[in-house]
Every structure is written in structure tokens, then in C-alpha cells.
Amino acid sequence: MVVLIASVLSLKGGVGKTTVTLGLASAAQHRGVDTLLVDLDPQMNATTTVDPETAVGALGSGVDPAEDTADRRPHGSATIAEVLDDPRRKVVERAVRPSGWGDHLRVLPGSERVEAHNHPDPGSKHLARLALALSRVDPAPELVLIDCPPSLGQLTRSALVAADRAVLVTEPSLFAVTGVQRALEAVQQERTRGDLRLQPLGVVINRFRPRVSEHEYRLQELRDLFGPLVLSPVLADRSAVQQAQGAAVPIHSWPTAGAREIAHDFDALLDRLLRAGKIRRRG
Ligand SMILES: Nc1ncnc2c1ncn2[C@@H]1O[C@H](COP(=O)(O)OP(=O)(O)OP(=O)(O)O)[C@@H](O)[C@H]1O
Ligand SMILES: [Mg+2]
């Protein structure tokens, strides 16, 4: 089976990485594509949304996070932090869990402790640990979606080393062009360093508001500069996104017209991703 690994990243925080990861995961679950969501962000927002139980257990309550994690999550389970400490098969096995979203989505839960791996200048062995761990997930998923933290440090770089495709996310704002440029450079650097399969899938423009002239202007600017790398559809700003995330349900299950529209857009982005990987689909 071909596994396609996609890393969702941006230079800037709060632009929609987790939202895009969750939207793609929702589309994949809806379509029956076996997917693993990997939460590399110490904020653990993706884990909180797809697997609230684990996230509550792993979140600190003033206690040492390692101790807290060991005490309160299901017995014997692990998180991304333990996997990056020690990517042996048995650790990976303990970390990968079913999600609350359905049979097709599993999760490798995040941890506050993963911040310890965000070293600015890691060795190449360290950077390859995530890729190694993902190759040991059994049964292998068809699709892996990695939600990156808001920096281009070791965690994001290890996601790039593991990935076939990088999905860049930006809002249509003043600093979008420089942010996208720097993220593309990071992808390029990792490619040249490592002779990787990695390619940019493209740039997702998120929270677009039509008729807001600043947004129209920035969108045009991004299209002029990055051409076909700017992915269609552009994602609109929709309150349904926040409502579904707040309720920890997939956007495909949220019963409003706005949710249906953006769910449809995520279907189209998933199609684009799956075409890139030419992976088998179940209809
Ligand atoms: N298209 C959208 N419409 C409405 N709200 C959105 C949209 N995209 C993201 N948001 C909201 O914006 C906030 C930030 O989004 P998100 O958490 O996905 O960004 P992020 O890039 O993952 O942030 P961080 O860098 O902190 O990880 C969230 O509250 C999310 O619900
Ligand atoms: Mg996030």
C-alpha cells in the first residue's frame, strides 16, 4: 500500500494549520481513507479536537507533564513526545490510538513535552526520527496528516523530512507573501539537504473574506507571485469552523450551510492531495 504523508505548516501562528489538518482529516474520514493524524504541536489543539479524552489526560494541571501524562492517560499509552524520544515499534504501537471521529481516523497524540524536541540545530539522525516512527505504524495508514507547530524549528523540519507533500497555509494578509516565501525556502532547503521525496503541494489561503478589498488584493498578489502553487479552492472565513472545532466534531458532520460549503472545499483539497500521491481510494 502507498502511504502519502502530508505536513501542514506555516511560518506564522494562528493562520489555520490545525484547521486545514482537521478539515482534511474530516474529508478523509468521510471518504473512508485510512488516515493517521500526527499532532506535532505542543499546544495539542488537533489532539483536543479529535481525541478529547487523551488531550485532557495529557494536559498539565500544575503537575510535572511527564508524571501527569503517565498518571492520567489510558494505562500504558504514549504520545508524540515518547515516540520522538524513542521511535521503536513498541513505543509507536503504544502511541497510535483510535480517534473519536470514526474508524478511519487514528491519532498520534500531541504532548506539551514535545517542545523539548524543538531544538534549533538538530542532527540529521534526530530529524529522521519521525519518518522512522511513521514507517512503523501498523497497520500502515493510507494517508498521514501532520499538524506542525508555528515555527520552522526541529519539529517542523522533522515533519518535512518525513513528508511527501508540504501544505503551506496563510491568511490573505500583509505579511503573507514573505511568510509563504520563507516557508517555501524551508521546504526547498530540506529537499536539497536530504534528497527527499518532499514537494510543496501548494499554498492554502485561509479565512478569505470576499468583498474585503485588502483580502482581494492580497489574494491577487499571492497568485501573481506563486501562480499555480496557490491552491483552489480558497477557504472562506466561516463561523462553522470554530463551532465544529469547539464541539470537537468533524466539519463534515456540522449541520449548517456554511459547514457544508467549507467541507466541500476540504473534499476538493483532499482530492488534490490524493491525486499527488495517486493513492487508492475506496469511492
Ligand atoms: N476558515 C476559518 N473560518 C473561521 N475561523 C477559522 C478559520 N480558520 C481558522 N479559524 C480559527 O482561527 C483560529 C486559529 O486557527 P488554527 O488553530 O487552525 O491556526 P493554527 O495555524 O493552527 O494556529 P497555531 O499556529 O497556534 O497552531 C482558531 O480559533 C480557528 O477556529
Ligand atoms: Mg495549530
Side-chain angles (χ1 to χ4, degrees):
M1 183 191 301
V2 185
V3 181
L4 180 76
I5 304 179
S7 291
V8 181
L9 70 145
S10 70
L11 184 69
K12 201 166 168 286
V15 295
K17 293 175 290 300
T18 302
T19 297
V20 168
T21 310
L22 291 170
L24 290 169
S26 174
Q29 160 64 34
H30 192 70
R31 189 158 327 161
V33 176
D34 281 326
T35 299
L36 175 69
L37 192 164
V38 179
D39 190 354
L40 262 193
D41 187 348
Q43 300 176 96
M44 301 170 52
N45 296 338
T47 307
T48 310
T49 312
V50 302
D51 185 14
E53 212 179 290
T54 296
V56 168
L59 268 176
S61 49
V63 199
D64 167 25
E67 195 181 299
D68 191 43
T69 300
D71 282 346
R72 296 176 59 200
R73 270 179 306 97
H75 183 67
S77 63
T79 68
I80 187 70
E82 286 79 38
V83 166
L84 292 179
D85 291 342
D86 176 5
R88 273 179 303 169
R89 200 173 294 275
K90 65 177 186 188
V91 183
V92 175
E93 206 168 281
R94 278 170 42 218
V96 172
R97 300 168 41 81
S99 77
W101 280 14
D103 291 346
H104 292 291
L105 184 68
R106 285 175 289 165
V107 57
L108 203 175
S111 162
E112 291 173 329
R113 220 170 57 70
V114 79
E115 186 59 45
H117 285 276
N118 219 359
H119 196 274
D121 190 20
S124 57
K125 257 197 168 155
H126 228 94
L127 278 179
R129 278 192 193 174
L130 180 61
L132 190 62
L134 293 179
S135 72
R136 292 172 172 168
V137 176
D138 185 26
E142 293 171 281
L143 176 66
V144 178
L145 298 167
I146 307 177
D147 186 22
C148 294
S151 77
L152 300 176
Q154 166 172 352
L155 288 169
T156 299
R157 287 185 58 200
S158 62
L160 288 175
V161 169
D164 302 288
R165 289 295 181 276
V167 180
L168 278 43
V169 183
T170 186
E171 288 181 3
S173 65
L174 174 61
F175 298 112
V177 165
T178 39
V180 168
Q181 247 153 3
R182 285 184 56 193
L184 279 171
E185 276 163 24
V187 172
Q188 190 52 38
Q189 260 179 21
E190 233 39 76
R191 267 165 62 90
T192 30
R193 256 193 219 119
D195 185 25
L196 306 168
R197 293 173 299 183
L198 173 68
Q199 284 180 32
L201 183 79
V203 183
V204 175
I205 316 278
N206 186 35
R207 303 199 80 165
F208 180 73
R209 278 178 284 149
R211 292 179 297 279
V212 171
S213 55
E214 168 72 4
H215 282 199
E216 300 279 5
Y217 178 84
R218 296 298 167 194
L219 177 60
Q220 195 51 52
E221 185 178 46
L222 287 159
R223 283 190 168 138
D224 289 345
L225 270 159
F226 300 111
L229 271 182
V230 175
L231 296 171
S232 286
V234 165
L235 300 176
D237 190 278
R238 298 249 174 232
S239 52
V241 166
Q242 283 156 38
Q243 291 161 353
Q245 277 171 17
V249 302
I251 193 75
H252 286 70
S253 306
W254 198 251
T256 64
R260 271 192 294 281
E261 223 165 279
I262 200 156
H264 194 71
D265 291 342
F266 281 119
D267 289 338
L269 289 175
L270 179 70
D271 273 337
R272 176 71 181 260
L273 190 56
L274 296 179
R275 268 205 308 278
K278 292 198 182 77
I279 78 169
R280 181 171 50 82
R281 273 177 273 169
R282 294 203 195 107

